Amino acid sequence: APVPQLPTLMEIAGKEKICQGLVVGRTLFQQTVEQWFAKKIDDRMFVQILSDTFRETANLWYEKCHSESFIDHLMPRSWQIYS
């Protein structure tokens, strides 16, 4: 899903008891990799865009995990890798 859709998708996933997290690989990499392969961006810009998108996504997940609408089981397991 595109980054702008992530808040809504995280909200939906956070309400499901069977959800353990989200996979966002293509969201993070797809468009940027295509631009890089097409030589529309250089290595430095590639790394910058990826790091910005990853940071934005991780922060969004962190914020959603702390919201009241999320089921408690998501936060401890999902945020451990970033602590």
Side-chain angles (χ1 to χ4, degrees):
V3 173
Q5 292 180 4
L6 288 180
T8 301
L9 296 174
M10 287 180 183
E11 193 71 33
I12 293 167
K15 294 176 183 178
E16 297 297 326
K17 291 184 179 186
I18 61 170
C19 178
Q20 294 297 314
L22 297 172
V23 176
V24 292
R26 285 194 179 130
T27 296
L28 298 176
F29 304 115
Q30 184 71 36
Q31 183 178 7
T32 308
V33 167
E34 288 174 2
Q35 291 176 341
W36 186 58
F37 283 152
K39 299 194 186 296
K40 293 180 180 178
I41 59 174
D42 62 14
D43 293 352
R44 183 175 292 213
M45 183 60 70
F46 176 75
V47 171
Q48 185 64 50
I49 292 169
L50 287 182
S51 63
D52 289 348
T53 305
F54 181 79
R55 185 179 305 105
E56 179 183 345
T57 303
N59 287 338
L60 178 62
W61 183 247
Y62 181 81
E63 289 169 13
K64 291 292 183 182
C65 285
H66 283 91
S67 73
E68 291 184 20
S69 64
F70 257 46
I71 296 173
D72 290 338
H73 76 277
L74 288 175
M75 177 53 191
R77 187 171 185 171
S78 64
W79 199 250
Q80 285 177 6
I81 60 173
Y82 301 110
S83 300

